[in-house]
């Protein structure tokens, strides 16, 4: 009987459904916060990678869809009508590299509509940089530049300043991102998704996914920021995806149709909301409604969200609303909650057991090196562009600015993109460099012709530069001097202090002499160029330039150059009747029966080598009285998950993202007799070692320097045994470092690391090597009670201290498996000539030094700045006496002035109309150096001696608002307890008469300066 009754009810209901009429439903999407209720903030967004599986252009126009169906143009096109359809709908957009492309294609009518959408708050720009930059492999200057590029556009076009940091996809998060690219650009909050799985589990239990993050111990609470890690990822909760063809159940609310499911969908929404509320403080939670390249047909998402808001709010158990991270942040702030404090950073990141994303700290080391080289070049090129005067016509640095901004993306400089995309980034950098190279050449020509004050249009001098100087290819210097011509070498120094450095250029014969700008002969040295370099040179000039060198240089010509701050000096290389000083050559074989040790070094620093072992054994600095045993070697980790014989894949592999070694490292030693070849002369001592058939190393000790420079050539890494390999160099000392070492955060603050330990949770160790690797952009050091041992790097790398007293850097990786994180490609880089390809060879440098404890910071900071900003060389030929008709020495600042040792100019950029963008950075943290961790002052009248400063305005880090206005608007957050912090220093206001800028430790100050005519 009961079943018959049920049938009757079903028939009656069906009858009602089939006989009723469909009618228009107006969904109530009114967006207000309801006090006392759980508010679910729906944040519609699309995460649009600026290159990853496809190039930036392919992603924009929607081509190459066999790889990934993604078209950003469609996303932005479809957003406009979708937002216009309901004034309560909202959307956030991030990547300006895409938005600016789209914006330039729009009609005035569409642009006006979009401006109204921005003004009304329906469309909000979040983050606002050119890309969502990486946080491990990006340098802080590049992070600032790419953010500024986006922020200036948004200010000019829309009059808006983004409020929120949105770093939802980078693979771990840096302290510099929080305090510098967060608080110091005026953001009120910072949101991200990727934190360690063990950390996330604990934070969920303790409701500490949202914190107040104090990223800088020097700037403390003055640069703290409210920060939130999402509960899982940056996607919607499971079953709430609404792209066309997504399989989440829609809200079927038409009673005339089958599968009516409003109650079920509302129940599921409420359950998911309460689940998230249980791990979140206050009555506000955020749902990130979107993911990679979504909203290509925006209506499919908004139609469902309209329905959810309507029916969930009718149900009344929770309250749903269209929102943005700004609205969410304001709601959190208004809740008057006291938040836990977070210090340091979120590195390294593992998303599960045995899956540490620490391989990408080194992946694509040649691209990482190219990015760093171009970054330093861009800084210098902008200075020279300013000294000449930026013109509407002629070459500009803008193309390099765009290329550098794009390559800071978290799937670019990180090395986690497909190979064809990496090639695209490199191509963009090359195009940008070519244009900037013209700016540098023209600017130097104008300065040497003394024509900048009168205006300089078409200088006569044609300067050449040598971007492939690192592989000894420099056609400008490889000339025959016997015809009586001089090679003019103009040496530019982008730093704010006078500098002495060694210049090395390739020459074809030994009968050369070097003179300074007064014509006085100076000391020089010839060092033979080894075959390893010539092989690199010959192969890569064909691969990259399509030309085979016609001459073969025999020597590096080395000489010392002294260059004024923000200025240049001139040197001449010409024919001599007799040979220059050729290095003494000495070859020591392992079978040598003389003394087992050799010592190299000029003056204070000496390195002792064991001939028998074929490696370094002792470091001695006679000035600082430091003496330490030292051992340097190469080793490789076999990548886990190499292809099995039956072709099946093994569990978590090592790949572009993930470092997972298969067992202990294997030492890389020379086979048989590998001699130490030593070259000695008055400028440099060099020790050459052929470690094996694919590793060659040169260690240099320069006159007047108290550090060692190590240049390595690594590759092609052999994989014909089917095993991927990850190459590390290590230096062992006897320092008792107690598991503790220090790595930099994006080239700024150093953060203490303790092996197998995390400050925020009890670490369960499953990868004792990969789990102790950290990103390095400037350097890594360790110390004990008497000494500190530092290594500085020339590009982003991964590094660690796996045993006490030891530091290691991963310098190259070549793998045969994909690590299953989306890129779908093994990290197996090659360089090809026509159809013949060989594995990538990497040429790089690192530098090391041992100091008495407490004295290493001065070298790390000052020399670190010199690594980032190398001397820039330009060449031309001259027949007569160059100095009679040319300016041979120039300084852009007052000739009697140097910047303090603890300050660097990190931006000097001509904005046109008599305005410049000017940034100063204090290089030291509090308590880092007894003399230099103090307030510094810079006299602007001496930095700009020939200019009349009419107005100086201090602005936010990204120069999109006045600093005072930014501070006035800043939200003040309550924190749990009252954590003690030292008094925070800041530089005071700039007096308009005295024009002196104060900088406190780690402070960066940004100004727009207006000059009078």
């Amino acid at each position: 009987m009961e079943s018959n009754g049920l049938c009757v009810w079903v028939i009656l209901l069906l009858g009602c459904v089939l006989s009723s009429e469909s009618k228009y439903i107006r969904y109530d999407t009114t967006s207000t916060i309801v006090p006392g209720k759980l508010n679910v903030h729906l944040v519609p967004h699309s995460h649009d990678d600026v290159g990853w599986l496809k190039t930036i252009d392919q992603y924009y126009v929607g081509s190459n869809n066999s790889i990934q169906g993604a078209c950003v143009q469609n996303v932005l096109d479809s957003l406009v009508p979708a937002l216009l359809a309901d004034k309560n709908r909202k959307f956030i957009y991030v990547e300006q590299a895409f938005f600016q492309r789209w914006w330039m294609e729009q009609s005035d009518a569409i642009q006006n509509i979009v401006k109204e959408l921005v003004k009304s708050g329906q469309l909000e720009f979040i983050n606002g940089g050119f890309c969502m930059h990486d946080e491990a492999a990006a340098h802080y200057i590049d992070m600032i530049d790419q953010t500024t590029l986006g922020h200036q556009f948004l200010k000019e076009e829309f009059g808006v300043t983004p409020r929120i940091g949105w770093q939802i996809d980078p693979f771990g998060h840096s302290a510099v991102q929080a305090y510098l690219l967060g608080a110091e650009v005026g953001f009120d909050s910072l949101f991200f998704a990727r934190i360690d799985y063990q950390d996330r589990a604990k934070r969920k239990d303790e409701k500490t996914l949202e914190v107040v993050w104090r990223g800088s111990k020097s700037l403390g609470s003055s640069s703290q920021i409210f920060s939130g890690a999402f509960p899982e990822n940056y996607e919607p909760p499971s079953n709430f995806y609404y792209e066309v063809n997504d399989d989440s159940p829609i809200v079927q609310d038409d009673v005339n149709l089958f599968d009516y499911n409003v109650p079920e969908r509302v129940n599921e929404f409420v359950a998911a909301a309460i689940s998230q509320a249980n791990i979140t403080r206050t009555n506000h939670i955020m749902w990130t409604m979107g993911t990679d390249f979504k909203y290509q047909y925006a209506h499919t998402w908004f139609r469902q969200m309209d329905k959810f808001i309507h029916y969930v709010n009718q149900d009344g158990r929770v309250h749903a609303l269209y929102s943005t991270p700004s609205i969410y942040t304001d709601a959190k702030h208004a809740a008057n909650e006291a938040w836990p404090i977070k210090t340091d950073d979120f590195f390294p990141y593992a998303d599960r057991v045995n899956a540490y994303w620490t391989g990408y700290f080194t992946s694509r080391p040649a691209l990482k090196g190219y990015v760093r080289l171009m970054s330093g070049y861009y800084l210098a090129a902008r200075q020279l562009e300013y000294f000449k005067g930026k013109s509407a016509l002629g070459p500009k640095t803008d193309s390099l600015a765009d290329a550098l901004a794009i390559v800071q993306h978290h799937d670019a400089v990180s090395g986690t993109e497909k190979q064809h995309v990496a090639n695209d980034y490199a191509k963009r950098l090359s195009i940008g460099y070519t244009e900037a190279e013209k700016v540098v050449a023209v600017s130097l020509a104008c300065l040497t012709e003394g024509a900048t004050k009168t205006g300089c249009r078409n200088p006569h001098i044609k300067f050449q530069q040598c971007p492939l100087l690192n592989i000894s290819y420099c056609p400008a210097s490889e000339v025959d001097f016997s015809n009586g011509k001089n090679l003019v070498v103009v040496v530019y120094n982008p730093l704010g202090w006078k500098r002495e450095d060694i210049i090395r250029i390739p020459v074809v014969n030994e009968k050369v002499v070097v003179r300074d700008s007064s014509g006085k002969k100076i000391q020089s040295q010839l060092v033979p160029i080894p075959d390893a370099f010539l092989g690199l040179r010959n192969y890569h000039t064909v691969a990259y330039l399509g030309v085979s060198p016609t001459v073969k240089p025999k020597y590096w010509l080395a000489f010392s150059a002294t260059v004024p701050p923000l200025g240049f000096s001139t040197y001449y290389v010409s024919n001599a009747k007799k040979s220059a000083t050729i290095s003494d050559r000495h070859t020591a074989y392992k079978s040598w029966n003389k003394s087992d040790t050799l010592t190299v070094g000029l003056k204070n620093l000496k390195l002792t080598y064991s001939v028998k072992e074929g490696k370094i054994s002792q470091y001695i600095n006679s000035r600082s009285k430091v003496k330490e045993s030292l051992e340097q070697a190469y080793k490789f980790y076999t990548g886990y998950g190499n292809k099995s014989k039956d072709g099946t894949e093994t569990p978590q592999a090592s790949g572009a993202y993930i470092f997972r070694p298969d067992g202990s490292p294997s030492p890389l030693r020379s086979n048989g007799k590998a001699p130490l070849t030593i070259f000695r002369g008055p400028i440099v001592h060099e020790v050459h070692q052929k470690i094996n058939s694919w590793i060659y190393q040169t260690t240099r000790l320069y006159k007047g320097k108290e550090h060692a420079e190590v240049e390595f050539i690594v590759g092609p890494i052999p994989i014909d045994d089917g095993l991927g390999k990850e190459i590390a160099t290590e230096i062992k000392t006897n320092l008792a470092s107690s598991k503790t070492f220090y790595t930099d955060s994006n080239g700024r603050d150093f953060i203490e690391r303790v092996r197998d330990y995390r400050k925020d949770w009890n670490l369960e160790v499953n990868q004792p090597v990969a789990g102790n690797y950290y990103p390095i952009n400037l350097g890594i050091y360790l110390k004990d009670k008497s000494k500190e041992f530092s290594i500085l790097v020339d590009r982003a790398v991964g590094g660690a201290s796996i045993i006490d007293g030891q530091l290691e850097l991963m310098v190259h990786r070549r793998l045969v498996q994909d690590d299953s994180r989306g890129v779908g490609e093994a990290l197996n880089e090659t360089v090809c000539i026509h159809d013949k390809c060989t594995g990538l060879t990497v040429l790089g440098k690192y530098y090391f030094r041992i100091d008495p404890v407490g004295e290493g910071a001065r070298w790390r900071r000052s020399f670190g700045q010199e690594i980032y900003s190398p001397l820039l060389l330009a060449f031309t030929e001259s027949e007569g006496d160059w100095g009679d008709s040319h300016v041979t020495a120039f300084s852009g600042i007052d000739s009697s002035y140097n910047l303090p040792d603890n300050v660097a100019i990190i931006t000097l950029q001509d904005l046109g109309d008599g305005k410049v963008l000017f940034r100063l950075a204090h290089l030291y943290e509090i308590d880092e150096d007894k003399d230099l961790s103090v307030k510094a002052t810079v006299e602007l009248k001496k930095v700009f001696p020939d200019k009349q400063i009419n107005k100086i305005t201090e602005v936010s880090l990204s120069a999109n608002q006045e600093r005072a206005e930014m501070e006035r608007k800043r939200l003040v957050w309550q924190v749990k307890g009252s954590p003690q912090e030292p008094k925070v220093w800041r530089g005071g206001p700039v007096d308009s008469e005295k024009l002196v800028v104060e900088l406190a430790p780690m402070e960066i100050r940004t100004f727009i300066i207006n000059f009078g005519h």
Side-chain angles (χ1 to χ4, degrees):
M1 281 296 294
E2 286 176 14
S3 62
N4 286 344
L6 184 63
C7 291
V8 170
W9 277 111
V10 168
I11 291 163
L12 284 171
L13 180 64
L14 272 173
C16 294
V17 166
L18 293 172
S19 63
S20 67
E21 292 181 14
S22 299
K23 64 175 191 285
Y24 170 73
I25 302 173
R26 185 188 171 280
Y27 299 109
D28 183 0
T29 57
T30 307
S31 292
T32 53
I33 286 167
V34 176
K37 227 176 219 186
L38 175 59
N39 289 271
V40 185
H41 294 250
L42 302 181
V43 176
H45 78 106
S46 179
H47 176 63
D48 297 342
D49 288 305
V50 182
W52 177 38
L53 308 181
K54 308 200 294 189
T55 68
I56 179 175
D57 289 351
Q58 290 168 351
Y59 272 135
Y60 179 67
V61 299
S63 60
N64 210 355
N65 279 346
S66 61
I67 292 178
Q68 186 182 11
C71 175
V72 176
Q73 211 170 13
N74 286 351
V75 173
L76 293 166
D77 280 346
S78 77
L79 266 181
V80 177
L83 292 175
L84 287 173
D86 181 346
K87 69 179 189 321
N88 293 316
R89 290 176 176 177
K90 291 181 169 52
F91 193 84
I92 61 169
Y93 199 73
V94 176
E95 295 84 5
Q96 291 306 303
F98 286 129
F99 185 82
Q100 290 182 26
R101 278 167 162 74
W102 181 82
W103 182 250
M104 287 165 194
E105 295 173 354
Q106 303 312 304
S107 66
D108 289 347
I110 294 292
Q111 287 191 354
N112 288 333
I113 289 168
V114 173
K115 283 179 178 177
E116 285 303 313
L117 291 171
V118 172
K119 194 173 168 187
S120 70
Q122 278 191 267
L123 175 61
E124 184 174 342
F125 294 108
I126 300 287
N127 234 22
F130 235 56
C131 66
M132 189 182 294
H133 53 226
D134 188 53
E135 296 183 43
H139 192 275
Y140 77 95
I141 293 177
D142 291 327
M143 296 162 88
I144 294 169
D145 283 343
Q146 83 86 15
T147 303
T148 301
L149 208 57
H151 282 195
Q152 285 182 330
F153 168 83
L154 292 174
K155 187 72 173 180
E156 286 164 13
E157 287 292 334
F158 299 97
V160 297
T161 55
R163 287 186 57 198
I164 308 295
W166 190 254
Q167 290 288 111
I168 60 175
D169 197 26
F171 327 126
H173 303 283
S174 76
V176 156
Q177 177 61 39
Y179 86 84
L180 193 61
L181 278 302
E184 293 293 301
V185 296
F187 288 165
D188 286 322
S189 58
L190 167 65
F191 295 99
F192 44 88
R194 297 190 186 274
I195 65 171
D196 190 280
Y197 71 102
Q198 295 179 34
D199 192 11
R200 191 191 304 275
K202 182 169 185 271
R203 289 181 182 281
K204 283 177 164 182
D205 285 346
E206 297 177 351
K207 292 192 175 184
T208 56
L209 284 166
E210 293 174 325
V211 295
V212 169
W213 188 354
R214 288 183 184 166
S216 171
K217 62 178 181 278
S218 300
L219 299 175
S221 58
S222 75
S223 63
Q224 68 187 22
I225 189 167
F226 178 77
S227 305
F230 300 142
E232 298 302 332
N233 50 37
Y234 55 83
E235 306 191 358
S238 176
N239 252 4
F240 292 89
Y241 290 73
Y242 293 109
E243 198 71 9
V244 175
N245 298 330
D246 275 347
D247 57 7
S248 296
I250 61 159
V251 179
Q252 205 299 80
D253 60 345
D254 187 339
V255 292
N256 290 321
L257 306 178
F258 292 163
D259 302 327
Y260 178 83
N261 67 354
V262 170
E264 292 89 341
R265 290 268 61 201
V266 168
N267 285 341
E268 204 171 338
F269 186 102
V270 171
I274 291 170
S275 173
Q276 187 169 331
N278 287 337
I279 56 171
T280 311
R281 295 171 194 233
T282 79
N283 61 325
H284 296 275
I285 62 170
M286 186 198 305
W287 281 14
T288 46
M289 297 303 291
T291 179
D292 296 13
F293 300 101
K294 300 305 180 187
Y295 292 78
Q296 295 191 61
Y297 179 47
H299 191 60
T300 61
W301 285 87
F302 284 113
R303 178 194 286 146
Q304 300 307 316
M305 286 186 286
D306 287 352
K307 293 180 181 183
F308 275 119
I309 291 169
H310 180 79
Y311 292 115
V312 165
N313 293 349
Q314 276 187 355
D315 173 85
R317 284 174 286 171
V318 302
H319 180 71
L321 68 153
Y322 280 121
S323 187
T324 68
S326 298
I327 295 168
Y328 178 77
T329 298
D330 289 338
K332 287 281 178 178
H333 185 255
N336 230 6
E337 178 82 12
W339 301 92
I341 287 276
K342 161 72 182 167
T343 57
D344 298 342
D345 62 9
F346 288 95
F347 284 117
Y349 161 62
D351 59 352
R352 63 191 74 152
V353 175
N354 297 323
Y356 278 95
W357 297 46
T358 55
Y360 84 95
F361 300 161
T362 294
S363 295
R364 302 195 186 280
L367 179 66
K368 284 177 163 72
Y370 193 28
V371 170
R372 185 60 50 81
L373 184 72
M374 291 298 99
S375 176
Y377 189 84
Y378 175 54
L379 182 144
R382 279 185 293 175
Q383 292 176 0
L384 287 164
E385 187 173 45
Y386 157 74
F387 289 131
K388 174 192 163 287
K390 195 170 185 178
S391 63
L393 306 166
K396 297 183 188 64
T397 55
D398 299 358
S399 174
L400 183 55
D402 285 5
L404 270 169
I406 288 165
V407 81
Q408 304 312 318
H409 168 60
H410 61 268
D411 280 307
V413 70
S414 58
T416 54
E417 64 274 34
K418 281 189 179 290
Q419 184 61 54
H420 78 106
V421 181
N423 296 345
D424 185 73
Y425 292 131
K427 182 178 179 180
R428 290 172 188 279
L429 287 172
S430 177
I431 291 167
Y433 170 80
T434 302
E435 180 91 353
E437 189 182 49
K438 292 173 187 166
V439 173
V440 168
V442 170
S443 299
L444 285 174
C446 289
L447 291 168
T448 53
E449 290 179 7
T452 52
K453 291 202 175 89
T454 55
C456 178
R457 289 283 170 82
N458 299 304
H460 302 299
I461 305 161
K462 300 287 182 251
F463 276 111
Q464 283 181 272
Q465 292 160 71
C466 295
L468 296 186
L469 188 60
N470 68 324
I471 57 167
S472 73
Y473 181 68
C474 183
S477 70
E478 297 164 20
V479 293
D480 182 359
F481 296 113
S482 60
N483 60 9
K485 285 188 178 176
N486 288 329
L487 177 69
V488 179
V489 186
V490 173
V491 184
Y492 179 73
N493 172 22
L495 295 181
W497 56 76
K498 183 180 174 183
R499 176 171 173 189
E500 189 174 332
D501 225 334
I502 307 300
I503 305 296
R504 296 166 70 242
I505 56 175
V507 293
V508 291
N509 60 36
E510 55 271 20
K511 290 189 175 177
V512 290
V513 64
V514 183
R515 292 184 171 84
D516 65 14
S517 55
S518 69
K520 182 182 161 195
K521 184 179 170 183
I522 63 167
Q523 196 173 54
S524 64
Q525 178 184 343
L526 293 169
V527 185
I529 297 177
D531 290 342
F533 265 92
L534 293 173
L536 263 188
R537 161 196 167 92
N538 294 339
Y539 188 85
H540 288 87
T541 48
V542 176
Y544 293 151
L545 303 176
V547 298
S548 287
T550 53
V551 294
K552 179 181 172 182
K554 288 168 70 177
Y555 301 101
W556 286 108
L557 172 65
F559 61 92
S560 181
T562 303
V563 197
L566 267 73
F568 64 77
S569 297
T570 308
Y571 294 86
Y572 312 109
V573 182
S574 56
N575 191 49
K577 287 177 182 166
K578 60 179 187 179
S579 295
T581 305
I582 300 177
S583 309
D584 292 332
R585 182 184 183 125
H586 189 90
T587 305
Y589 291 90
K590 288 187 179 178
S591 57
W592 225 32
N593 54 12
K594 298 182 188 174
S595 163
D596 180 44
T597 60
L598 278 169
T599 300
V600 295
L602 298 105
K603 210 170 176 189
N604 295 340
L605 179 60
K606 301 279 194 294
L607 296 180
T608 301
Y609 282 78
S610 161
V611 178
K612 190 175 179 184
E613 294 288 325
K615 57 190 175 189
I616 191 170
S617 61
Q618 200 165 48
Y619 177 106
I620 304 164
N621 186 318
S622 56
R623 180 195 57 80
S624 64
K625 306 289 188 285
V626 165
K627 188 174 183 180
E628 181 61 33
S629 295
L630 211 62
E631 194 179 313
Q632 187 253 347
Y634 288 86
K635 60 185 179 181
F636 74 89
Y637 296 97
T638 302
Y640 197 91
N642 294 289
K643 284 184 178 139
S644 56
K645 285 173 182 158
D646 61 0
T648 58
E649 290 200 7
T650 50
Q652 183 57 62
S654 213
Y657 301 87
I658 287 167
F659 173 34
R660 188 185 182 188
D662 192 351
S664 300
S666 305
L668 285 162
R669 296 194 184 99
S670 53
N671 302 322
K673 296 179 182 176
L676 295 172
T677 303
I678 292 122
F679 296 106
R680 291 188 178 94
I683 305 284
V684 63
H685 285 192
E686 294 192 356
V687 181
H688 292 245
Q689 295 167 273
K690 187 171 183 179
I691 309 297
N692 63 15
S693 62
W694 48 275
I695 300 179
Y696 189 93
Q697 176 174 289
T698 308
T699 305
R700 298 187 182 95
L701 299 180
Y702 289 109
K703 175 187 174 185
K705 306 289 182 187
E706 292 188 15
H707 64 261
E709 172 186 293
V710 181
E711 185 168 53
F712 56 85
I713 301 171
V714 176
I717 300 171
I719 54 167
D720 41 14
D721 56 2
L723 302 177
K725 298 173 187 68
E726 321 199 32
I727 316 305
T729 182
E730 66 174 350
I731 302 181
K732 293 177 182 172
T733 70
N734 289 327
L735 271 68
S737 52
S738 306
K739 292 188 168 186
T740 304
F741 58 106
Y742 303 81
T743 63
D744 68 274
S745 179
N746 304 109
R748 282 301 273 169
D749 313 58
F750 276 91
I751 296 180
E752 181 180 272
R753 312 298 189 184
V754 179
R755 193 162 57 252
D756 294 336
Y757 172 81
R758 302 290 186 267
K759 193 187 284 187
D760 292 343
W761 78 95
N762 291 324
L763 177 68
E764 189 180 305
V765 178
N766 51 60
Q767 284 292 318
V769 175
N772 287 303
Y773 255 69
Y774 289 88
I776 301 167
N777 279 278
L778 168 60
I780 179 171
Y781 73 94
L782 52 77
K783 62 185 179 181
D784 64 10
K785 288 176 180 172
S786 63
K787 304 186 191 90
E788 56 189 271
F789 165 44
S790 312
I791 300 179
L792 300 183
V793 297
D794 70 342
R795 70 196 69 198
V797 298
S801 175
I802 303 300
I803 55 172
D804 282 1
Q806 174 258 27
L807 292 176
E808 68 177 61
L809 305 174
M810 187 181 289
V811 295
H812 198 358
R813 318 177 71 220
R814 190 180 187 191
L815 298 158
V816 296
Q817 278 297 67
D818 175 53
D819 54 10
S820 308
R821 291 304 182 277
V823 76
E825 205 173 81
L827 183 69
N828 181 9
E829 296 181 275
T830 57
V831 178
C832 303
I833 296 177
H834 305 305
D835 296 329
K836 181 179 178 289
C837 298
T838 58
L840 177 73
T841 297
V842 172
L843 187 151
K845 290 179 183 176
Y846 65 91
Y847 311 83
F848 68 86
R849 173 168 163 146
I850 305 174
D851 285 286
V853 71
E855 294 180 21
R858 186 181 288 254
W859 177 70
R860 289 191 295 269
R861 294 299 184 183
S862 298
F863 186 65
Q865 214 55 36
E866 293 182 15
I867 297 169
Y868 177 80
S869 283
L871 293 173
L872 188 156
L873 307 182
F875 306 90
T876 190
E877 285 187 0
S878 161
E879 289 183 353
D881 194 335
W882 175 269
D884 289 348
S885 53
H886 296 91
V887 176
T888 58
F890 163 83
S891 178
I893 67 177
D894 189 298
S895 58
S896 64
Y897 189 63
N898 272 302
L899 249 63
D901 289 346
N902 48 7
V903 175
I905 294 171
I906 60 168
T907 310
L908 175 56
Q909 182 176 355
D910 193 333
L911 299 176
D913 297 327
K915 289 195 291 189
V916 298
L917 178 62
F918 184 64
R919 277 192 196 93
L920 292 166
H922 197 300
L923 298 174
Y924 289 76
E925 298 177 68
I926 55 167
D927 304 326
E928 195 176 9
D929 184 272
K930 66 182 192 307
D931 300 318
L932 295 168
S933 291
V934 295
K935 263 191 186 172
T937 56
V938 174
E939 299 177 51
L940 295 183
K941 287 178 181 175
K942 291 187 175 175
V943 175
F944 302 101
D946 300 325
K947 301 279 189 182
Q948 180 195 331
I949 297 176
N950 281 359
K951 185 182 176 191
I952 178 165
T953 309
E954 185 166 10
V955 290
S956 64
L957 185 72
S958 59
N960 65 349
Q961 56 188 314
E962 290 196 18
R963 175 93 199 187
E965 173 70 3
M966 181 187 95
E967 293 295 352
R968 189 185 63 74
K969 293 187 300 187
R970 192 188 292 282
L971 299 182
V972 178
W973 297 87
Q974 293 184 48
V975 295
K976 289 193 87 173
S978 52
Q980 289 296 309
E981 64 168 356
K983 183 177 185 305
V984 175
W985 297 355
R986 288 278 187 172
V990 179
D991 184 286
S992 58
E993 292 297 316
K994 293 177 182 171
L995 294 172
V996 173
V997 177
E998 282 184 335
L999 292 123
M1002 274 292 110
E1003 192 172 23
I1004 295 178
R1005 298 184 71 176
T1006 307
F1007 301 93
I1008 291 174
I1009 299 174
N1010 295 57
F1011 296 124
H1013 294 295

